[in-house]
Amino acid sequence: MKSESKRHAEACVEQAEETLRELRTALAGRGITLPSLRIDAATIAREAPCPRIEFGGCSVDAASRLAAALRAGCAKEATP
């Protein structure tokens, strides 16, 4: 039988993996690829994982497209 902390740790890692998939899909929908996008291995290697997602580096073009996508999203949210 798994301990409560073990179940919590597994749930945290699963949530991070799902969030990473969603982020990759959303970025790809805007033509953006971040090659270094991944879960930080050091944050899940601990006894009590607390996953972090690393964005890593990207090209200036990818950063520009990411900024434009974020601006477009913010403009949509601001429109009543």
Side-chain angles (χ1 to χ4, degrees):
M1 197 169 197
K2 292 182 184 178
S3 70
E4 182 65 29
S5 63
K6 178 78 172 165
R7 284 191 299 271
H8 175 73
E10 288 176 356
C12 287
V13 172
E14 288 173 10
Q15 181 183 14
E17 290 170 343
E18 177 62 22
T19 300
L20 183 60
R21 280 190 295 276
E22 290 174 1
L23 182 55
R24 276 197 181 117
T25 300
L27 290 168
R30 293 298 213 158
I32 301 167
T33 301
L34 299 178
S36 304
L37 187 63
R38 65 179 178 264
I39 295 175
D40 178 2
T43 63
I44 60 172
R46 305 183 315 190
E47 187 174 321
C50 183
R52 294 176 52 107
I53 295 176
E54 288 188 348
F55 283 75
C58 66
S59 68
V60 172
D61 181 56
S64 178
R65 285 183 285 136
L66 181 56
L70 290 170
R71 280 192 305 273
C74 289
K76 262 188 204 175
E77 289 178 6
T79 304

